Amino acid sequence: MTGTIGQRPWMTEPKAAAVLDALEAAGGADCARFVGGCVRNTLLGRPVSDIDIATVLTPDAVTKALAAAGLKAVPTGVEHGTVTAVSGGQPFEITTLRRDVSTDGRRAVVAFTADWEADARRRDFTLNSLYARRDGTLFDPTGEGVADARAGRIVFVGEPEARVREDYLRILRFFRFFAWYGSEPADAAALAACERLRGEIGTLSAERVSKELLKLLAADDPRPAVALMARTGVLGEVLPAPIDLARFEGLVAIEADQLFECDPLLRLAALLADDQVGAVQLAERLRLANAERDRLAAALSPTPELKSWMSPREIRRAVYRQGPRVFRDRAKLAWARSSGTAPTMQWRGLIALGEGWSPPAFPLTGDDVIAAGAPKGPMVGQVLREVEDWWVDQDFLDDRLSVIEKLKAVTQGMAF
């Protein structure tokens, strides 16, 4: 015991209390404690989202205790000791205290234990090896977690290389936690271990890598962490060369200065080359969702080039051709690349105009083209595109009769 974080509302609200009550009914007082992020974030005065619980009860006993209390139990990782309780619609991950029996860098064989210190020793970082009772009593089995958390030190529990060899994802987790909670300088021993073992990242599943990468990029300011990844060669194991650190750093600065919401996928795009084929290949390698893949590729189109001094008419044309979201993404990336060479107000105005204009629907259909004399078939699309190009050049003329007259002129000039 090392003090208290105080009894906070998230500890005593009915959903959490019902889970603790169920476990204590089966295992007695102090058979379960809050652990990890909820304890760490409370200590640091940060918001708490997920609530995880550690317990001496085995997964079978946890499942029976939850059922006896009328709570749903989901076997999300029973082989590793994890059962998810659902209380009032909210999930609570409950994990039996454990120690590693064997590991291969991707999977671990564990044995359950009742030893809180043994459980703490198998965790990744000291600031994540913190436990708290429901009354707020704080436990720091490593003796360093509280001090490290408050100082922004991301330190592996025990010997860094041994912790990394247990699970190579911990390389990326180190940089992710540094982005969210760390202060410079980074722990030298941790960095050295990550650098030495960076080649093992390729043995991890793509889904685990992409999830960790996007969490890292969602930090308020991931620039120091990404710079360290680049310096140690870790970034090159995850993303293809060339890496555009300058554009990435420019985008993060713009988001902070202009109060834009941080956007991890766009930050990923900022790191990459303007290469749509390469973006699609990376998205497939990282097993990103189709929508994420398509957004990356669209944002990294090298043409048409966006400039801060575009006229309102040119902006409307670009928004119509690309769509509002793609235009906004590409405008932010162009701004980030040209950071310092064009007035902020020009870029801000360009984005605001693009966001404030709703593209109109083209007023013609294929039926209109056929009615004007074009035969059914590929020619219909060709005529539509030609008239649409004219309509866009006319700045989206709001006069259907004029558009019909243009359609007639185009069809009369074509040999069908």
Side-chain angles (χ1 to χ4, degrees):
M1 186 173 70
T2 59
T4 181
I5 53 174
Q7 193 174 62
R8 304 304 175 93
W10 62 264
M11 299 175 175
T12 58
E13 58 90 23
K15 296 174 186 178
V19 176
L20 268 293
D21 289 344
L23 297 176
E24 291 178 355
D30 201 31
C31 74
R33 298 173 183 173
F34 298 111
V35 65
C38 57
V39 181
R40 175 199 64 229
N41 281 20
T42 298
L43 178 70
L44 297 176
R46 298 197 183 192
V48 170
S49 52
D50 299 330
I51 300 176
D52 295 337
I53 297 169
T55 182
V56 299
L57 297 176
T58 64
D60 284 346
V62 169
T63 300
K64 291 176 182 176
L66 295 174
L71 299 176
K72 183 179 180 180
V74 182
T76 45
V78 172
E79 69 278 10
H80 293 104
T82 301
V83 175
T84 297
V86 181
S87 176
Q90 180 178 343
F92 295 82
E93 191 172 277
I94 304 168
T95 302
T96 302
L97 304 187
R98 54 196 175 170
R99 59 180 178 81
D100 288 330
V101 174
S102 64
T103 61
D104 65 2
R106 292 188 300 164
R107 307 174 199 84
V109 177
V110 301
F112 302 136
T113 179
D115 187 337
W116 293 93
E117 290 192 13
D119 185 73
R121 285 195 298 271
R122 71 165 303 280
R123 292 181 179 270
D124 50 10
F125 308 112
T126 57
L127 83 171
N128 289 338
S129 303
L130 299 172
Y131 307 78
R133 288 180 183 151
R134 64 197 304 177
D135 64 0
T137 301
L138 182 64
F139 295 86
D140 182 5
T142 70
E144 300 170 342
V146 170
D148 287 342
R150 286 175 171 158
R153 292 189 294 264
I154 313 302
V155 180
F156 282 105
V157 175
E159 204 280 310
E161 188 162 324
R163 292 289 80 73
V164 172
R165 289 191 181 278
E166 290 167 353
D167 183 354
Y168 295 120
L169 190 70
R170 286 175 173 173
I171 296 173
L172 297 181
R173 283 177 61 83
F174 170 79
F175 293 101
R176 194 245 291 185
F177 278 92
F178 186 79
W180 280 88
Y181 300 101
S183 298
E184 296 188 274
D187 182 68
L191 273 183
C194 292
E195 184 171 10
R196 279 195 301 272
L197 298 174
R198 66 185 185 275
E200 302 295 340
I201 291 173
T203 66
L204 299 169
S205 72
E207 291 85 355
R208 296 183 80 200
V209 171
S210 60
K211 183 177 180 180
E212 202 64 38
L213 178 63
L214 291 174
K215 283 183 178 180
L216 186 161
L217 293 176
D220 285 344
D221 187 359
R223 287 174 293 183
V226 172
L228 282 175
M229 291 175 71
R231 195 185 82 194
T232 56
V234 170
L235 191 59
E237 297 292 334
V238 180
L239 302 179
I243 298 296
D244 197 339
L245 277 178
R247 180 166 68 177
F248 165 74
E249 292 175 352
L251 176 62
V252 176
I254 288 166
E255 289 174 336
D257 292 345
Q258 301 302 314
L259 301 180
F260 290 135
E261 183 178 349
C262 77
D263 189 331
L265 194 69
L266 190 60
R267 288 174 172 183
L268 174 58
L271 282 165
L272 305 175
D274 288 330
D275 173 8
Q276 290 184 295
V277 173
V280 169
Q281 291 173 342
L282 174 69
E284 291 175 347
R285 181 159 66 84
L286 291 178
R287 300 286 196 276
L288 297 181
N290 290 345
E292 293 173 321
R293 176 202 63 202
D294 294 344
R295 186 182 174 203
L296 269 185
L300 292 172
S301 172
T303 58
E305 188 176 4
L306 301 185
K307 300 290 188 180
S308 66
W309 57 83
M310 292 170 68
S311 69
R313 183 171 179 170
E314 290 172 319
I315 293 171
R316 287 190 289 271
R317 185 179 304 170
V319 171
Y320 181 80
R321 292 299 191 191
Q322 300 172 37
R325 184 169 193 176
V326 174
F327 175 81
R328 183 172 65 249
D329 285 349
R330 295 195 65 240
K332 287 181 179 179
L333 292 181
W335 184 359
R337 173 165 285 165
S338 68
S339 184
T341 63
T344 292
M345 290 304 297
Q346 285 186 357
W347 284 112
R348 184 78 199 200
L350 178 144
I351 291 174
L353 196 156
E355 290 178 334
W357 181 70
S358 297
F362 182 48
L364 298 184
T365 67
D367 289 341
D368 294 316
V369 177
I370 294 171
K376 293 181 179 180
M379 192 63 71
V380 172
Q382 181 179 334
V383 172
L384 273 177
R385 285 190 293 273
E386 183 169 339
V387 178
E388 184 181 23
D389 288 343
W390 170 86
W391 177 70
V392 171
D393 285 341
Q394 297 300 308
D395 203 18
F396 311 97
L397 186 66
D398 186 19
D399 181 355
R400 178 175 164 81
L401 289 178
S402 295
V403 180
I404 292 291
E405 289 302 315
K406 178 63 178 178
L407 170 62
K408 292 177 180 177
V410 171
T411 55
Q412 289 170 4
M414 286 190 167
F416 298 123

